Amino acid sequence: MKDAPLKLPEVRHLDAARLTAGLDRHRRLDLAAHTRVHPPLRPPGRDGLLALAEAVDLSGRGGAGFPFARKARATLAAADRTGARPVVVVNGAEGEPASAKDKMLLARVPHLVLDGACLAAAAFGAEEIVIGVAAGSPGEMSVPAALAERELPCRARTVCLPDRFVSGESGALIRGVNGLPVVPAPLKARAAGGGTGGVRRRPTLLSNAETWAQLAVAARLGPDSYASVGAAGEPGTVLLTVNRPGADPLVVEVPTGTLLGPVLDACGLQPGAGVLVGGYHGAWLHPSDAVGAPLSRAGLAGLGGTLGAGAIVALPGDTCPLGETARVAAWLATESAGQCGPCKRGLPEAAEALMVLAAGAGEPAVLEDARRALGAAQGGGACSHPDGTARFLLTALDVFSEDVDAHLSGPGCGRPVRGVLPLPPAKGARLEVDWSRCAGHGLCAVLAPELIRLGPHGYPTSTTIPVAPWQEHGARRAVNQCPALAVRLRHRGFR
């Protein structure tokens, strides 16, 4: 495992090095190196572990920020009520293209993550530990190797999930562990309560990789030492993924409450046209607000932002903000599960409107269409994907309002789209219409309404966004049943 060719981001720290301790000397901490860097752990027991998590205000570091102790108590209450031993789950299925922190932890310091999971499993009498990783990620090799090196309080296994954005949603991950399609559950059910929401219907304590690593650090340091750095009410450190144009991202550990400006400076970046904090379910900040933004959940909330998964992108001034946003909007629309109205209609409509706006071919009604679709998507989805996507896109329209005006009043801002916002390798297909054949039957718009609409003259107009996996059946029906053979699927990249 030491010599495995893992492609990993560079790691830095500002002030305290806790999660990243030892990585200045080791590419990966195997068990021997891990025990040299981190002192032995004393299991605190059930009540002690709960008290520790409450004392340090440990919250989830995967996006939602839910208090760990509250989630653990709910899991234990369900276990006591049903008599079923709980399951501990590590969510390492990091499908966010702008985030690499959990991949880094599982690849380079897997034992620190496993320390936290094993502490909880031992204290809470867990039946099993499950570590979910993205297929093809470094954790697919690193985690099983780490499990083989150490003693475990119960059985443990690694589950590989499709490398998709939606795979990191807690319900989708648990469904994948249960052998079901890796999409959010059609009906919401809390994992802590077991039943349909848990692994094998058991009470399930699920947190992301960084949260488990933070628990292990807190258990070693104790509440007072853990809280010696960081913001009041949110002590400790946080991992950030700082994306850089034309270079690999950096994973940076900083005390919570650190101002964003110094972090950008340390990474050789400027606020540029705006700064995205929280990844593609996060929010854009104006350059003037970004410099003094405190990197804590409370501090960012005061600016209308969110820490989310800790992914940061500073958009340089030489790329088109609307074009960059439209690229990601199209990708997010195809990454949905397509199980609810906001994902089936709202996100594709908003992405299509942004594509038109970015091309400089839009009218004010196009902007209104985008805002309407995104407003309708908020609060009505089966999972958090529509809400997070709407926040990302609506804040982009606000922060880049001058560019929006330039695209509405003329051919656009004049800047190319450089592809600064990271996306995975291109894939998929688009549905296209051969106008030399089309006779305006309109059947295709009936068979694939999410992909094709009828224009003002009764002829179809194909969308510019890719076909999502859940749309493929309708797309192929439109192709196969077109009387004029005018509709086709063209496989090509969409970056």
Side-chain angles (χ1 to χ4, degrees):
M1 194 63 213
K2 291 182 180 179
D3 300 323
L6 301 177
K7 177 67 173 177
L8 298 169
E10 181 183 344
V11 172
R12 296 182 185 176
H13 65 86
L14 302 183
D15 197 359
R18 293 179 171 180
L19 305 181
T20 58
L23 293 181
D24 56 340
R25 305 186 303 276
H26 302 276
R27 189 160 177 263
R28 176 182 181 273
L29 300 185
D30 60 10
L31 185 59
H34 174 75
T35 54
R36 290 194 298 269
V37 172
H38 299 283
L41 273 170
R42 295 180 179 178
R46 172 172 168 158
D47 293 339
L49 193 60
L50 291 170
L52 171 68
E54 289 176 335
V56 301
D57 293 307
L58 181 62
S59 60
R61 305 303 172 93
F66 197 83
F68 178 87
R70 194 188 310 173
K71 189 186 298 185
R73 289 188 184 280
T75 305
L76 291 172
D80 292 343
R81 183 178 66 254
T82 63
R85 295 169 61 191
V87 175
V88 168
V89 176
V90 178
N91 186 351
E94 194 173 35
E96 163 71 73
S99 182
K101 65 184 182 70
D102 288 340
K103 292 185 182 70
M104 185 281 294
L105 288 171
L106 292 174
R108 299 192 66 178
V109 287
H111 286 286
L112 194 61
V113 178
L114 294 177
D115 279 348
C118 288
L119 276 178
F124 303 153
E127 180 183 70
E128 183 182 29
I129 298 170
V130 181
I131 305 97
V133 301
S137 69
E140 187 176 358
M141 296 185 296
S142 177
V143 173
L147 289 174
E149 287 184 301
R150 59 187 294 149
E151 294 184 8
L152 299 165
C154 58
R155 69 173 180 265
R157 59 188 170 115
T158 306
V159 175
C160 293
L161 303 161
D163 189 11
R164 294 193 65 215
F165 192 87
V166 75
S167 296
E169 197 271 338
S170 60
L173 186 147
I174 289 177
R175 282 170 58 86
V177 172
N178 286 336
L180 299 172
V182 187
V183 294
L187 297 176
K188 293 181 180 180
R190 294 192 181 277
T196 59
V199 174
R200 300 193 315 280
R201 303 185 66 85
R202 293 181 174 275
T204 300
L205 178 58
L206 182 149
S207 284
N208 85 310
E210 184 188 345
T211 309
W212 292 114
Q214 292 282 2
L215 182 65
V217 169
R220 286 185 167 92
L221 294 177
D224 293 339
S225 293
Y226 184 86
S228 63
V229 301
E234 295 181 47
T237 64
V238 64
L239 287 180
L240 310 169
T241 306
V242 181
N243 293 269
R244 303 177 295 173
D248 292 335
L250 298 173
V251 173
V252 184
E253 184 177 14
V254 303
T256 57
T258 299
L259 298 185
L260 179 54
V263 174
L264 295 177
D265 288 341
C267 298
L269 298 172
Q270 297 296 322
V275 182
L276 175 65
V277 180
Y280 297 157
H281 278 181
W284 287 95
L285 299 178
H286 287 276
S288 58
D289 293 333
V291 173
L295 291 166
S296 66
R297 298 188 185 280
L300 287 168
L303 296 171
T306 177
L307 186 59
I312 295 173
V313 186
L315 197 68
D318 62 350
T319 188
C320 173
L322 284 184
E324 295 280 354
T325 303
R327 289 173 59 248
V328 178
W331 182 80
L332 288 169
T334 64
E335 285 294 298
S336 78
Q339 296 186 130
C340 60
C343 280
K344 294 184 84 168
R345 299 302 294 267
L347 298 189
E349 286 180 8
E352 179 71 11
L354 287 171
M355 284 285 191
V356 173
L357 188 61
E363 298 180 355
V366 174
L367 179 59
E368 295 171 8
D369 288 344
R371 289 190 178 277
R372 175 189 50 76
L374 293 171
Q378 292 179 302
C383 69
S384 62
H385 185 60
D387 297 86
T389 300
R391 177 170 52 232
F392 166 75
L393 297 177
L394 288 171
T395 56
L397 293 175
D398 291 339
V399 170
F400 305 126
S401 58
E402 292 183 5
D403 296 276
V404 171
D405 292 340
H407 281 257
L408 285 174
S409 61
C413 63
R415 286 167 287 183
V417 180
R418 301 192 181 279
V420 173
L421 295 180
L423 287 177
K427 58 183 178 180
R430 282 192 177 95
L431 203 56
E432 296 182 345
V433 177
D434 182 348
W435 300 111
S436 66
R437 291 175 176 267
C438 182
H441 297 92
L443 180 61
C444 55
V446 175
L447 297 174
E450 298 90 1
L451 293 167
I452 293 183
R453 303 176 186 88
L454 297 182
H457 302 292
Y459 280 78
T461 58
S462 59
T463 64
T464 58
I465 63 173
V467 177
W470 55 269
Q471 295 173 321
E472 288 180 1
H473 177 69
R476 296 191 183 282
R477 285 183 67 200
V479 170
N480 295 334
Q481 297 186 35
C482 174
L485 303 178
V487 184
R488 63 190 177 194
L489 272 175
R490 180 180 292 276
H491 292 269
R492 58 181 180 179
F494 54 84
R495 292 187 69 179

mmCIF file of all heavy atoms in Angstrom, residues 59-104:
data_model
loop_
_atom_site.group_PDB
_atom_site.id
_atom_site.type_symbol
_atom_site.label_atom_id
_atom_site.label_comp_id
_atom_site.label_asym_id
_atom_site.label_seq_id
_atom_site.Cartn_x
_atom_site.Cartn_y
_atom_site.Cartn_z
ATOM 1 N N SER A 59 -20.227 18.848 15.122
ATOM 2 C CA SER A 59 -21.291 18.808 14.115
ATOM 3 C C SER A 59 -20.779 18.120 12.868
ATOM 4 O O SER A 59 -19.572 18.017 12.643
ATOM 5 C CB SER A 59 -21.757 20.231 13.760
ATOM 6 O OG SER A 59 -20.689 20.993 13.244
ATOM 7 N N GLY A 60 -21.701 17.639 12.061
ATOM 8 C CA GLY A 60 -21.325 16.940 10.844
ATOM 9 C C GLY A 60 -20.574 17.841 9.885
ATOM 10 O O GLY A 60 -20.913 19.016 9.720
ATOM 11 N N ARG A 61 -19.554 17.307 9.240
ATOM 12 C CA ARG A 61 -18.734 18.087 8.314
ATOM 13 C C ARG A 61 -19.006 17.715 6.868
ATOM 14 O O ARG A 61 -18.179 17.961 6.006
ATOM 15 C CB ARG A 61 -17.249 17.865 8.635
ATOM 16 C CG ARG A 61 -16.859 18.163 10.073
ATOM 17 C CD ARG A 61 -17.202 19.598 10.471
ATOM 18 N NE ARG A 61 -17.006 19.836 11.889
ATOM 19 C CZ ARG A 61 -15.891 20.308 12.427
ATOM 20 N NH1 ARG A 61 -14.862 20.583 11.648
ATOM 21 N NH2 ARG A 61 -15.810 20.510 13.722
ATOM 22 N N GLY A 62 -20.186 17.144 6.605
ATOM 23 C CA GLY A 62 -20.493 16.749 5.243
ATOM 24 C C GLY A 62 -21.391 17.708 4.498
ATOM 25 O O GLY A 62 -21.638 17.536 3.321
ATOM 26 N N GLY A 63 -21.902 18.723 5.181
ATOM 27 C CA GLY A 63 -22.760 19.679 4.495
ATOM 28 C C GLY A 63 -23.884 20.193 5.373
ATOM 29 O O GLY A 63 -24.077 21.393 5.520
ATOM 30 N N ALA A 64 -24.631 19.282 5.990
ATOM 31 C CA ALA A 64 -25.801 19.701 6.757
ATOM 32 C C ALA A 64 -25.427 20.270 8.121
ATOM 33 O O ALA A 64 -26.153 21.093 8.682
ATOM 34 C CB ALA A 64 -26.762 18.525 6.932
ATOM 35 N N GLY A 65 -24.313 19.833 8.701
ATOM 36 C CA GLY A 65 -23.874 20.356 9.992
ATOM 37 C C GLY A 65 -24.733 19.908 11.155
ATOM 38 O O GLY A 65 -24.832 20.600 12.173
ATOM 39 N N PHE A 66 -25.333 18.716 11.079
ATOM 40 C CA PHE A 66 -26.215 18.240 12.148
ATOM 41 C C PHE A 66 -25.377 17.833 13.359
ATOM 42 O O PHE A 66 -24.317 17.209 13.222
ATOM 43 C CB PHE A 66 -27.035 17.044 11.660
ATOM 44 C CG PHE A 66 -28.225 16.739 12.508
ATOM 45 C CD1 PHE A 66 -29.407 17.434 12.328
ATOM 46 C CD2 PHE A 66 -28.171 15.766 13.494
ATOM 47 C CE1 PHE A 66 -30.516 17.163 13.110
ATOM 48 C CE2 PHE A 66 -29.263 15.482 14.279
ATOM 49 C CZ PHE A 66 -30.445 16.187 14.093
ATOM 50 N N PRO A 67 -25.801 18.189 14.586
ATOM 51 C CA PRO A 67 -25.035 17.836 15.788
ATOM 52 C C PRO A 67 -24.849 16.324 15.924
ATOM 53 O O PRO A 67 -25.826 15.573 15.911
ATOM 54 C CB PRO A 67 -25.881 18.408 16.931
ATOM 55 C CG PRO A 67 -26.687 19.504 16.305
ATOM 56 C CD PRO A 67 -26.983 19.026 14.916
ATOM 57 N N PHE A 68 -23.613 15.902 16.092
ATOM 58 C CA PHE A 68 -23.299 14.476 16.164
ATOM 59 C C PHE A 68 -23.956 13.827 17.382
ATOM 60 O O PHE A 68 -24.509 12.722 17.282
ATOM 61 C CB PHE A 68 -21.784 14.281 16.208
ATOM 62 C CG PHE A 68 -21.361 12.845 16.336
ATOM 63 C CD1 PHE A 68 -21.203 12.056 15.210
ATOM 64 C CD2 PHE A 68 -21.129 12.272 17.582
ATOM 65 C CE1 PHE A 68 -20.824 10.728 15.321
ATOM 66 C CE2 PHE A 68 -20.747 10.946 17.699
ATOM 67 C CZ PHE A 68 -20.588 10.171 16.566
ATOM 68 N N ALA A 69 -23.892 14.484 18.535
ATOM 69 C CA ALA A 69 -24.423 13.878 19.753
ATOM 70 C C ALA A 69 -25.925 13.643 19.656
ATOM 71 O O ALA A 69 -26.435 12.617 20.115
ATOM 72 C CB ALA A 69 -24.097 14.753 20.958
ATOM 73 N N ARG A 70 -26.637 14.583 19.044
ATOM 74 C CA ARG A 70 -28.090 14.420 18.903
ATOM 75 C C ARG A 70 -28.404 13.225 18.001
ATOM 76 O O ARG A 70 -29.317 12.437 18.267
ATOM 77 C CB ARG A 70 -28.713 15.688 18.335
ATOM 78 C CG ARG A 70 -30.225 15.723 18.469
ATOM 79 C CD ARG A 70 -30.841 16.893 17.721
ATOM 80 N NE ARG A 70 -30.202 18.152 18.025
ATOM 81 C CZ ARG A 70 -30.469 19.287 17.393
ATOM 82 N NH1 ARG A 70 -31.365 19.288 16.398
ATOM 83 N NH2 ARG A 70 -29.856 20.397 17.725
ATOM 84 N N LYS A 71 -27.635 13.100 16.922
ATOM 85 C CA LYS A 71 -27.835 11.965 16.017
ATOM 86 C C LYS A 71 -27.518 10.645 16.729
ATOM 87 O O LYS A 71 -28.240 9.650 16.578
ATOM 88 C CB LYS A 71 -26.935 12.136 14.790
ATOM 89 C CG LYS A 71 -27.190 11.145 13.668
ATOM 90 C CD LYS A 71 -26.159 11.295 12.561
ATOM 91 C CE LYS A 71 -26.183 12.641 11.907
ATOM 92 N NZ LYS A 71 -25.244 12.726 10.747
ATOM 93 N N ALA A 72 -26.427 10.647 17.513
ATOM 94 C CA ALA A 72 -26.051 9.430 18.227
ATOM 95 C C ALA A 72 -27.106 9.045 19.266
ATOM 96 O O ALA A 72 -27.441 7.859 19.424
ATOM 97 C CB ALA A 72 -24.692 9.623 18.896
ATOM 98 N N ARG A 73 -27.631 10.028 19.985
ATOM 99 C CA ARG A 73 -28.659 9.726 20.986
ATOM 100 C C ARG A 73 -29.919 9.156 20.338
ATOM 101 O O ARG A 73 -30.550 8.237 20.880
ATOM 102 C CB ARG A 73 -28.992 10.984 21.792
ATOM 103 C CG ARG A 73 -27.886 11.407 22.751
ATOM 104 C CD ARG A 73 -28.342 12.534 23.668
ATOM 105 N NE ARG A 73 -27.270 13.010 24.515
ATOM 106 C CZ ARG A 73 -26.861 12.413 25.631
ATOM 107 N NH1 ARG A 73 -27.466 11.291 26.035
ATOM 108 N NH2 ARG A 73 -25.874 12.914 26.343
ATOM 109 N N ALA A 74 -30.274 9.681 19.182
ATOM 110 C CA ALA A 74 -31.447 9.152 18.483
ATOM 111 C C ALA A 74 -31.208 7.713 18.041
ATOM 112 O O ALA A 74 -32.114 6.863 18.122
ATOM 113 C CB ALA A 74 -31.769 10.031 17.280
ATOM 114 N N THR A 75 -29.996 7.423 17.592
ATOM 115 C CA THR A 75 -29.661 6.053 17.186
ATOM 116 C C THR A 75 -29.728 5.103 18.371
ATOM 117 O O THR A 75 -30.281 3.995 18.278
ATOM 118 C CB THR A 75 -28.255 6.017 16.563
ATOM 119 O OG1 THR A 75 -28.181 6.950 15.479
ATOM 120 C CG2 THR A 75 -27.911 4.625 16.059
ATOM 121 N N LEU A 76 -29.179 5.529 19.508
ATOM 122 C CA LEU A 76 -29.167 4.674 20.694
ATOM 123 C C LEU A 76 -30.574 4.484 21.258
ATOM 124 O O LEU A 76 -30.907 3.396 21.749
ATOM 125 C CB LEU A 76 -28.246 5.279 21.749
ATOM 126 C CG LEU A 76 -26.756 5.255 21.388
ATOM 127 C CD1 LEU A 76 -25.946 6.043 22.404
ATOM 128 C CD2 LEU A 76 -26.251 3.823 21.304
ATOM 129 N N ALA A 77 -31.397 5.514 21.172
ATOM 130 C CA ALA A 77 -32.776 5.378 21.653
ATOM 131 C C ALA A 77 -33.526 4.344 20.822
ATOM 132 O O ALA A 77 -34.278 3.519 21.359
ATOM 133 C CB ALA A 77 -33.483 6.734 21.586
ATOM 134 N N ALA A 78 -33.294 4.357 19.515
ATOM 135 C CA ALA A 78 -33.941 3.362 18.649
ATOM 136 C C ALA A 78 -33.400 1.968 18.930
ATOM 137 O O ALA A 78 -34.155 0.985 18.922
ATOM 138 C CB ALA A 78 -33.723 3.726 17.190
ATOM 139 N N ALA A 79 -32.093 1.877 19.176
ATOM 140 C CA ALA A 79 -31.504 0.571 19.490
ATOM 141 C C ALA A 79 -32.052 0.024 20.802
ATOM 142 O O ALA A 79 -32.373 -1.170 20.915
ATOM 143 C CB ALA A 79 -29.986 0.692 19.552
ATOM 144 N N ASP A 80 -32.185 0.885 21.816
ATOM 145 C CA ASP A 80 -32.724 0.443 23.101
ATOM 146 C C ASP A 80 -34.187 0.035 22.966
ATOM 147 O O ASP A 80 -34.640 -0.932 23.590
ATOM 148 C CB ASP A 80 -32.592 1.568 24.128
ATOM 149 C CG ASP A 80 -31.141 1.861 24.509
ATOM 150 O OD1 ASP A 80 -30.279 0.994 24.240
ATOM 151 O OD2 ASP A 80 -30.878 2.952 25.045
ATOM 152 N N ARG A 81 -34.923 0.769 22.132
ATOM 153 C CA ARG A 81 -36.352 0.497 21.980
ATOM 154 C C ARG A 81 -36.603 -0.812 21.241
ATOM 155 O O ARG A 81 -37.518 -1.574 21.572
ATOM 156 C CB ARG A 81 -37.009 1.661 21.229
ATOM 157 C CG ARG A 81 -38.516 1.521 21.085
ATOM 158 C CD ARG A 81 -39.128 2.719 20.367
ATOM 159 N NE ARG A 81 -38.699 2.809 18.969
ATOM 160 C CZ ARG A 81 -37.841 3.693 18.507
ATOM 161 N NH1 ARG A 81 -37.276 4.574 19.319
ATOM 162 N NH2 ARG A 81 -37.517 3.708 17.223
ATOM 163 N N THR A 82 -35.789 -1.082 20.214
ATOM 164 C CA THR A 82 -36.028 -2.251 19.362
ATOM 165 C C THR A 82 -35.195 -3.469 19.756
ATOM 166 O O THR A 82 -35.492 -4.578 19.315
ATOM 167 C CB THR A 82 -35.708 -1.901 17.907
ATOM 168 O OG1 THR A 82 -34.312 -1.566 17.800
ATOM 169 C CG2 THR A 82 -36.546 -0.727 17.421
ATOM 170 N N GLY A 83 -34.146 -3.245 20.547
ATOM 171 C CA GLY A 83 -33.256 -4.349 20.885
ATOM 172 C C GLY A 83 -32.287 -4.712 19.776
ATOM 173 O O GLY A 83 -31.559 -5.705 19.886
ATOM 174 N N ALA A 84 -32.240 -3.922 18.713
ATOM 175 C CA ALA A 84 -31.334 -4.184 17.583
ATOM 176 C C ALA A 84 -30.038 -3.413 17.769
ATOM 177 O O ALA A 84 -30.062 -2.214 18.070
ATOM 178 C CB ALA A 84 -31.999 -3.782 16.269
ATOM 179 N N ARG A 85 -28.920 -4.090 17.616
ATOM 180 C CA ARG A 85 -27.629 -3.402 17.715
ATOM 181 C C ARG A 85 -27.463 -2.445 16.540
ATOM 182 O O ARG A 85 -27.830 -2.775 15.406
ATOM 183 C CB ARG A 85 -26.500 -4.417 17.750
ATOM 184 C CG ARG A 85 -26.507 -5.303 18.990
ATOM 185 C CD ARG A 85 -25.541 -6.460 18.830
ATOM 186 N NE ARG A 85 -24.169 -6.000 18.660
ATOM 187 C CZ ARG A 85 -23.161 -6.787 18.298
ATOM 188 N NH1 ARG A 85 -23.391 -8.071 18.020
ATOM 189 N NH2 ARG A 85 -21.942 -6.300 18.189
ATOM 190 N N PRO A 86 -26.903 -1.263 16.782
ATOM 191 C CA PRO A 86 -26.801 -0.272 15.709
ATOM 192 C C PRO A 86 -25.692 -0.601 14.718
ATOM 193 O O PRO A 86 -24.850 -1.477 14.955
ATOM 194 C CB PRO A 86 -26.502 1.025 16.462
ATOM 195 C CG PRO A 86 -25.802 0.578 17.714
ATOM 196 C CD PRO A 86 -26.431 -0.742 18.078
ATOM 197 N N VAL A 87 -25.702 0.117 13.619
ATOM 198 C CA VAL A 87 -24.661 0.039 12.596
ATOM 199 C C VAL A 87 -24.018 1.419 12.483
ATOM 200 O O VAL A 87 -24.715 2.439 12.482
ATOM 201 C CB VAL A 87 -25.245 -0.390 11.234
ATOM 202 C CG1 VAL A 87 -24.180 -0.359 10.142
ATOM 203 C CG2 VAL A 87 -25.845 -1.786 11.337
ATOM 204 N N VAL A 88 -22.702 1.440 12.405
ATOM 205 C CA VAL A 88 -21.950 2.685 12.234
ATOM 206 C C VAL A 88 -21.534 2.796 10.769
ATOM 207 O O VAL A 88 -20.956 1.858 10.211
ATOM 208 C CB VAL A 88 -20.715 2.708 13.149
ATOM 209 C CG1 VAL A 88 -19.763 3.847 12.771
ATOM 210 C CG2 VAL A 88 -21.138 2.826 14.610
ATOM 211 N N VAL A 89 -21.831 3.926 10.146
ATOM 212 C CA VAL A 89 -21.530 4.119 8.727
ATOM 213 C C VAL A 89 -20.656 5.341 8.540
ATOM 214 O O VAL A 89 -20.941 6.423 9.071
ATOM 215 C CB VAL A 89 -22.827 4.275 7.895
ATOM 216 C CG1 VAL A 89 -22.490 4.569 6.432
ATOM 217 C CG2 VAL A 89 -23.676 3.013 7.994
ATOM 218 N N VAL A 90 -19.578 5.169 7.782
ATOM 219 C CA VAL A 90 -18.695 6.259 7.381
ATOM 220 C C VAL A 90 -19.048 6.638 5.945
ATOM 221 O O VAL A 90 -18.928 5.811 5.035
ATOM 222 C CB VAL A 90 -17.210 5.852 7.463
ATOM 223 C CG1 VAL A 90 -16.309 6.991 6.987
ATOM 224 C CG2 VAL A 90 -16.850 5.431 8.878
ATOM 225 N N ASN A 91 -19.486 7.871 5.756
ATOM 226 C CA ASN A 91 -19.827 8.340 4.413
ATOM 227 C C ASN A 91 -18.588 8.958 3.778
ATOM 228 O O ASN A 91 -18.223 10.096 4.058
ATOM 229 C CB ASN A 91 -20.965 9.366 4.482
ATOM 230 C CG ASN A 91 -21.463 9.772 3.098
ATOM 231 O OD1 ASN A 91 -20.864 9.432 2.089
ATOM 232 N ND2 ASN A 91 -22.559 10.504 3.062
ATOM 233 N N GLY A 92 -17.954 8.180 2.909
ATOM 234 C CA GLY A 92 -16.791 8.664 2.172
ATOM 235 C C GLY A 92 -17.068 8.768 0.686
ATOM 236 O O GLY A 92 -16.131 8.888 -0.108
ATOM 237 N N ALA A 93 -18.353 8.731 0.315
ATOM 238 C CA ALA A 93 -18.737 8.796 -1.104
ATOM 239 C C ALA A 93 -18.821 10.253 -1.519
ATOM 240 O O ALA A 93 -19.901 10.814 -1.663
ATOM 241 C CB ALA A 93 -20.067 8.090 -1.328
ATOM 242 N N GLU A 94 -17.680 10.873 -1.688
ATOM 243 C CA GLU A 94 -17.589 12.309 -1.946
ATOM 244 C C GLU A 94 -17.783 12.573 -3.440
ATOM 245 O O GLU A 94 -16.843 12.608 -4.216
ATOM 246 C CB GLU A 94 -16.216 12.799 -1.485
ATOM 247 C CG GLU A 94 -16.050 14.280 -1.362
ATOM 248 C CD GLU A 94 -14.714 14.602 -0.740
ATOM 249 O OE1 GLU A 94 -13.725 13.882 -1.005
ATOM 250 O OE2 GLU A 94 -14.638 15.577 0.015
ATOM 251 N N GLY A 95 -19.046 12.793 -3.831
ATOM 252 C CA GLY A 95 -19.335 13.004 -5.245
ATOM 253 C C GLY A 95 -19.248 14.447 -5.684
ATOM 254 O O GLY A 95 -19.546 14.761 -6.833
ATOM 255 N N GLU A 96 -18.860 15.338 -4.790
ATOM 256 C CA GLU A 96 -18.722 16.761 -5.081
ATOM 257 C C GLU A 96 -17.421 17.008 -5.848
ATOM 258 O O GLU A 96 -16.334 16.794 -5.311
ATOM 259 C CB GLU A 96 -18.726 17.524 -3.760
ATOM 260 C CG GLU A 96 -18.209 18.931 -3.805
ATOM 261 C CD GLU A 96 -19.150 19.861 -4.514
ATOM 262 O OE1 GLU A 96 -20.202 20.187 -3.948
ATOM 263 O OE2 GLU A 96 -18.807 20.258 -5.643
ATOM 264 N N PRO A 97 -17.482 17.436 -7.104
ATOM 265 C CA PRO A 97 -16.252 17.596 -7.887
ATOM 266 C C PRO A 97 -15.275 18.609 -7.313
ATOM 267 O O PRO A 97 -14.072 18.510 -7.554
ATOM 268 C CB PRO A 97 -16.760 18.053 -9.263
ATOM 269 C CG PRO A 97 -18.190 17.646 -9.312
ATOM 270 C CD PRO A 97 -18.681 17.729 -7.907
ATOM 271 N N ALA A 98 -15.785 19.603 -6.565
ATOM 272 C CA ALA A 98 -14.916 20.639 -6.023
ATOM 273 C C ALA A 98 -14.346 20.270 -4.666
ATOM 274 O O ALA A 98 -13.593 21.051 -4.085
ATOM 275 C CB ALA A 98 -15.691 21.955 -5.911
ATOM 276 N N SER A 99 -14.673 19.096 -4.140
ATOM 277 C CA SER A 99 -14.233 18.693 -2.808
ATOM 278 C C SER A 99 -13.361 17.448 -2.878
ATOM 279 O O SER A 99 -13.663 16.510 -3.622
ATOM 280 C CB SER A 99 -15.442 18.429 -1.906
ATOM 281 O OG SER A 99 -15.035 18.088 -0.597
ATOM 282 N N ALA A 100 -12.279 17.454 -2.097
ATOM 283 C CA ALA A 100 -11.380 16.297 -2.061
ATOM 284 C C ALA A 100 -10.957 15.948 -0.644
ATOM 285 O O ALA A 100 -10.114 15.073 -0.455
ATOM 286 C CB ALA A 100 -10.142 16.563 -2.918
ATOM 287 N N LYS A 101 -11.531 16.593 0.357
ATOM 288 C CA LYS A 101 -11.046 16.408 1.722
ATOM 289 C C LYS A 101 -11.301 14.998 2.258
ATOM 290 O O LYS A 101 -10.427 14.402 2.906
ATOM 291 C CB LYS A 101 -11.665 17.440 2.658
ATOM 292 C CG LYS A 101 -13.171 17.315 2.835
ATOM 293 C CD LYS A 101 -13.717 18.437 3.714
ATOM 294 C CE LYS A 101 -15.223 18.277 3.934
ATOM 295 N NZ LYS A 101 -15.529 17.129 4.803
ATOM 296 N N ASP A 102 -12.488 14.452 1.998
ATOM 297 C CA ASP A 102 -12.774 13.108 2.502
ATOM 298 C C ASP A 102 -11.972 12.054 1.754
ATOM 299 O O ASP A 102 -11.525 11.062 2.347
ATOM 300 C CB ASP A 102 -14.271 12.815 2.405
ATOM 301 C CG ASP A 102 -15.080 13.599 3.429
ATOM 302 O OD1 ASP A 102 -14.480 14.041 4.427
ATOM 303 O OD2 ASP A 102 -16.285 13.779 3.239
ATOM 304 N N LYS A 103 -11.784 12.255 0.456
ATOM 305 C CA LYS A 103 -10.917 11.341 -0.295
ATOM 306 C C LYS A 103 -9.507 11.372 0.273
ATOM 307 O O LYS A 103 -8.851 10.331 0.401
ATOM 308 C CB LYS A 103 -10.889 11.725 -1.777
ATOM 309 C CG LYS A 103 -12.194 11.505 -2.526
ATOM 310 C CD LYS A 103 -12.011 11.811 -4.006
ATOM 311 C CE LYS A 103 -13.321 11.641 -4.787
ATOM 312 N NZ LYS A 103 -14.309 12.677 -4.472
ATOM 313 N N MET A 104 -9.033 12.569 0.612
ATOM 314 C CA MET A 104 -7.700 12.690 1.184
ATOM 315 C C MET A 104 -7.602 11.947 2.511
ATOM 316 O O MET A 104 -6.641 11.211 2.763
ATOM 317 C CB MET A 104 -7.361 14.173 1.376
ATOM 318 C CG MET A 104 -5.931 14.442 1.866
ATOM 319 S SD MET A 104 -5.657 14.194 3.641
ATOM 320 C CE MET A 104 -6.669 15.496 4.341
#
